[in-house]
Amino acid sequence: MTWTKKLLQLNDVLSDLVPDKDGIIKYAKASGLKPQSMGLGSNVTDIWNTILNEADKSSKIDTLLKSVLDAYPDNLYLKSALTSQEIDFSASPDIDDTADWQDVSDETLELLTMEQSTLLPVNFLAKGVLKSKSVGKVELKIGNNRYSVGTGFLFKIKEVDALFFITNYHVINDKKDIERTRIIFDYELDVDDHSVPSRSFKIDPDGPWYSSGIREYDTTIFQLIDEADRLAEYGWIELKEVEITANDFVNIIQHPKGEMKQISLYHNIVTHTDDRVVQYLTDTLKGSSGSPVFNSDWEVVALHHSGGGSKPGEPKLPEGIKSRNEGIFINKIIQFVKENCKM
């Protein structure tokens, strides 16, 4: 089997959607494969790798995808994988290459079993909805029916009189891509589960362009063209310097896999901080790059940029909890904006 970029991403998506061996075996059998004869191991990614290899040999990739789609009918990537359209998830950097990932502590594991209260005032939800208006999907056309996707958000800081949009450097980093990129707001569902009419904006090619590489702040900042004065409808998130410590809770508003806007609220615990990064346990998927990471007061504490599976020797997490997610500490990004705006 030739592992194209599309199939590699499919392996990642399936591993995220169905992260348990029994579930994988169920879908494999439903597509006419015989997983019992494949000698499957215990690592989810490796199991899906084996299943996809066998499906390819038997010309059953589409059959396998359709069996999974029965359970996830709205999954954008699975649907596109059955067509000529290809979606690139702006592959985030390998967390092992960009940071020193700290182990999950026993104290954090205690918190995950609800030793700490997660009660919040009900207006927490209303505040989150207001913040979510400023979060948009980044879509970069990279070929015929092929798109690279990510997330970003509108922001301001008090010391600078300008409205900016921010995402990751690995999502968009070349000004040559401006014409092929659009930022989409309101790509989400309303309270009746109906699609909200979305609106897209182009990047201002003559406006500011501040970027910082993956190993520094993994950040690209620019302005949007707003000739009809419509951006005001989406407001902005005010960035200010904050404090964040291990075992704080965080929440992420995102467009995982380029799908409609979603929020990760459960079991989101900070495991490590330093003067550059914030590391946390939470649910993110490909396409979440560039999402705002909020604390419980809906203040942005980080710009999400990378994630991964557990590493050898890491404490075993409760079932369903994902590890190794990381964002760039927002204080560093605020300093970065101020330094560039003085130029």
Side-chain angles (χ1 to χ4, degrees):
M1 177 178 180
T2 301
W3 280 90
T4 63
K5 187 173 185 179
K6 183 173 182 177
L7 286 171
L8 286 169
Q9 291 184 344
L10 180 59
N11 198 111
D12 286 343
V13 171
L14 290 171
S15 297
D16 283 323
L17 282 177
V18 189
D20 63 280
K21 186 174 182 178
D22 290 342
I24 299 172
I25 290 174
K26 179 185 73 173
Y27 292 117
K29 288 182 175 179
S31 62
L33 299 174
K34 297 180 179 179
Q36 64 273 15
S37 64
M38 298 179 191
L40 303 177
S42 57
N43 181 279
V44 171
T45 302
D46 290 342
I47 294 174
W48 272 118
N49 184 296
T50 301
I51 295 296
L52 285 170
N53 265 308
E54 291 300 319
D56 183 63
K57 291 177 184 177
S58 306
S59 299
K60 292 183 177 179
I61 291 288
D62 285 1
T63 305
L64 176 63
L65 293 180
K66 289 174 182 177
S67 71
V68 181
L69 266 171
D70 285 340
Y72 301 95
D74 297 321
N75 186 279
L76 181 63
Y77 188 80
L78 293 181
K79 288 191 288 188
S80 70
L82 290 170
T83 70
S84 60
Q85 184 184 47
E86 183 172 340
I87 295 177
D88 183 353
F89 293 139
S90 302
S92 59
D94 187 332
I95 200 168
D96 291 323
D97 291 338
T98 58
D100 178 19
W101 177 259
Q102 304 298 307
D103 284 334
V104 178
S105 68
D106 290 337
E107 181 182 3
T108 296
L109 295 181
E110 290 178 4
L111 293 177
L112 283 171
T113 57
M114 296 306 163
E115 291 296 322
Q116 180 171 317
S117 173
T118 56
L119 292 174
L120 291 164
V122 72
N123 69 351
F124 173 83
L125 300 174
K127 290 179 179 179
V129 170
L130 289 176
K131 297 288 184 180
S132 75
K133 291 290 293 181
S134 303
V135 178
K137 174 183 173 182
V138 181
E139 186 176 271
L140 168 61
K141 189 171 184 179
I142 56 177
N144 291 331
N145 289 320
R146 296 178 60 228
Y147 298 89
S148 173
V149 294
T151 304
F153 59 96
L154 292 163
F155 78 92
K156 284 187 176 183
I157 57 177
K158 283 186 177 180
E159 294 83 353
V160 180
D161 185 22
L163 175 66
F164 297 107
F165 188 89
I166 184 172
T167 187
N168 284 143
Y169 178 88
H170 73 259
V171 172
I172 178 171
N173 52 64
D174 193 333
K175 294 188 76 171
K176 294 178 181 178
D177 294 328
I178 285 178
E179 281 299 314
R180 297 183 291 114
T181 302
R182 61 176 182 159
I183 309 301
I184 307 169
F185 293 100
D186 280 340
Y187 186 52
E188 57 189 87
L189 298 176
D190 64 17
V191 293
D192 296 314
D193 289 330
H194 297 145
S195 298
V196 174
S198 61
R199 183 179 291 119
S200 65
F201 295 81
K202 301 292 290 184
I203 299 172
D204 184 353
D206 300 317
W209 178 273
Y210 311 138
S211 63
S212 173
I214 290 173
R215 293 181 180 277
E216 191 177 14
Y217 304 136
D218 195 7
T219 298
T220 299
I221 295 169
F222 45 80
Q223 291 183 323
L224 304 179
I225 297 174
D226 186 26
E227 295 175 347
D229 294 325
R230 305 303 297 266
L231 274 179
E233 299 176 26
Y234 303 102
W236 65 82
I237 298 171
E238 182 179 329
L239 300 187
K240 56 186 178 181
E241 294 192 0
V242 296
E243 294 183 1
I244 185 75
T245 61
N247 296 328
D248 284 350
F249 290 102
V250 291
N251 313 291
I252 302 180
I253 298 175
Q254 55 192 294
H255 283 279
K257 306 189 300 297
E259 293 183 347
M260 289 188 173
K261 193 180 300 175
Q262 298 177 36
I263 183 169
S264 176
L265 284 173
Y266 305 124
H267 300 301
N268 303 333
I269 294 178
V270 173
T271 60
H272 168 75
T273 67
D274 59 32
D275 64 354
R276 176 179 172 269
V277 301
V278 180
Q279 296 175 341
Y280 37 88
L281 309 182
T282 188
D283 280 344
T284 57
L285 293 174
K286 304 296 185 283
S288 299
S289 294
S291 301
V293 182
F294 297 93
N295 62 17
S296 293
D297 292 322
W298 289 110
E299 298 169 320
V300 177
V301 298
L303 177 72
H304 177 73
H305 86 126
S306 185
S310 60
K311 68 177 183 179
E314 185 174 82
K316 182 175 177 58
L317 299 175
E319 184 176 354
I321 304 302
K322 299 178 184 178
S323 65
R324 310 187 71 201
N325 280 277
E326 180 181 272
I328 303 298
F329 189 28
I330 205 63
N331 292 7
K332 284 294 184 182
I333 292 176
I334 292 172
Q335 293 170 18
F336 174 69
V337 174
K338 291 179 179 178
E339 290 168 1
N340 276 276
C341 285
K342 290 179 181 179
M343 295 175 64

